[in-house]
Amino acid sequence: MTEKIDKYKVQAALVRSFFDAFSHGVIESQVEDRKEKTTPQSVKKLMLEYYEHIAPAFFDTMFFPLAAMNYKYEDIAALAREAQQRGDDMMALVRTACGDEAYYNAMVEEYKRNFSMLLAGKYLSNADHLEGYVRKAKEETEASVDSDRAIELTVRVVMFAYVRGLRQTGESARFDRSVHLGQVHPLRGATLFRLMLDAMNILLLDEAVDFADAEATDLASLFLKVCQTQHNFTVMTNEMDRTYSELMKE
């Protein structure tokens, strides 16, 4: 039996993971100097340059994961068709995907929080994210997502957002299987693995993980530290393989 994760926590992790991965995809393909990649000047400059591309990329990446937290998989396609038939715009579709107004408003707050930080040339740390993400109001009923589904959706967001960030600049989404975690190792695998570590940290734990005592070259031990269990680690790597296959078909 899988565990449950609070829906607000999952949604916040998805939004943060999108901005983290998409921005790094853009930066990776534009900034050659390793030391300059995450300087405030580089981050702010590139986010301003690609300002108009972020909302469409967010919708393309996030509609399915947000909807999958609130609807059965088999109902999502029908949901999208009905919304399109009504002539719903992009944000109306996202509102539908969020399920109700409270989750939509929380998603908007997380969107603003992450985007504002990037426009200021900064990234939210794992600790700051976990301290400040939007939580349910006292009068709300507790709602949760199966941990397996939450992990799968988060993996999908990280990988799709990262590749879409690379593609904004004309970078082809090449993949290299020379190093393995599970079976997948995309271009600039070190960046993807760092993004995935952070994503699993904020999704599965309530505090930022200290990696000081972990071997940086031992990816499996790093991921087990944030995944907590072998089961969660396996769910993550299986979804990385599945998403890799889907990306290769695009």
Side-chain angles (χ1 to χ4, degrees):
M1 183 176 179
T2 60
E3 297 180 357
K4 301 284 187 179
I5 304 176
D6 174 74
K7 192 181 287 189
Y8 280 101
K9 182 178 176 68
V10 177
Q11 181 172 263
L14 293 177
V15 175
R16 193 286 184 103
S17 295
F18 166 81
F19 279 102
D20 203 17
F22 181 82
S23 61
H24 274 88
V26 172
I27 291 166
E28 284 283 304
S29 61
Q30 286 291 292
V31 182
E32 292 297 328
D33 188 334
R34 186 176 176 182
K35 294 181 180 179
E36 293 294 317
K37 286 186 185 295
T38 55
T39 63
Q41 295 85 352
S42 295
V43 174
K44 183 175 181 179
K45 176 178 179 291
L46 285 170
M47 289 303 98
L48 287 170
E49 283 184 16
Y50 289 90
Y51 184 93
E52 295 181 356
H53 300 271
I54 292 176
F58 181 87
F59 172 76
D60 288 343
T61 305
M62 295 291 290
F63 175 80
F64 174 80
L66 289 172
M69 290 199 301
N70 301 296
Y71 304 93
K72 294 179 179 179
Y73 284 152
E74 57 267 26
D75 295 334
I76 294 175
L79 183 79
R81 284 196 302 270
E82 290 168 6
Q84 289 170 343
Q85 288 168 2
R86 291 194 301 269
D88 289 356
D89 63 15
M90 184 168 59
M91 290 314 294
L93 283 164
V94 172
R95 188 188 297 268
T96 299
C98 288
D100 67 31
E101 201 69 13
Y103 289 113
Y104 174 75
N105 290 337
M107 184 278 297
V108 171
E109 286 304 309
E110 292 301 318
Y111 185 105
K112 291 178 179 177
R113 183 166 75 124
N114 283 273
F115 200 1
S116 296
M117 288 289 289
L118 289 174
L119 290 176
K122 303 173 184 177
Y123 283 95
L124 274 174
S125 68
N126 289 354
D128 287 342
H129 169 85
L130 288 167
E131 181 180 354
Y133 74 84
V134 178
R135 289 158 167 84
K136 77 178 184 69
K138 290 182 180 179
E139 66 274 12
E140 286 185 76
T141 303
E142 192 79 33
S144 59
V145 181
D146 285 348
S147 59
D148 284 10
R149 176 173 287 195
I151 292 168
E152 290 164 357
L153 296 176
T154 303
V155 168
R156 178 184 178 88
V157 166
V158 170
M159 294 181 70
F160 269 86
Y162 180 54
V163 169
R164 283 176 174 143
L166 290 172
R167 288 175 176 169
Q168 292 296 316
T169 60
E171 177 91 18
S172 63
R174 292 175 293 138
F175 290 83
D176 173 15
R177 289 178 177 270
S178 59
V179 178
H180 296 268
L181 177 66
Q183 293 296 317
V184 63
H185 181 68
L187 174 71
R188 299 181 176 89
T191 299
L192 180 74
F193 293 146
R194 202 277 300 160
L195 293 168
M196 200 68 73
L197 280 168
D198 284 349
M200 291 300 110
N201 186 169
I202 63 171
L203 176 69
L204 298 172
L205 300 170
D206 292 324
E207 60 183 21
V209 169
D210 181 4
F211 292 111
D213 62 346
E215 287 288 338
T217 56
D218 186 356
L219 283 170
S221 69
L222 292 176
F223 274 102
L224 278 171
K225 193 165 187 175
V226 291
C227 289
Q228 296 285 284
T229 68
Q230 183 64 47
H231 174 81
N232 288 342
F233 176 80
T234 301
V235 172
M236 182 197 72
T237 54
N238 286 346
E239 184 61 19
M240 288 177 74
D241 289 344
R242 194 203 64 76
T243 304
Y244 166 85
S245 297
E246 187 173 343
L247 283 165
M248 289 297 290
K249 295 174 183 176
E250 285 196 344

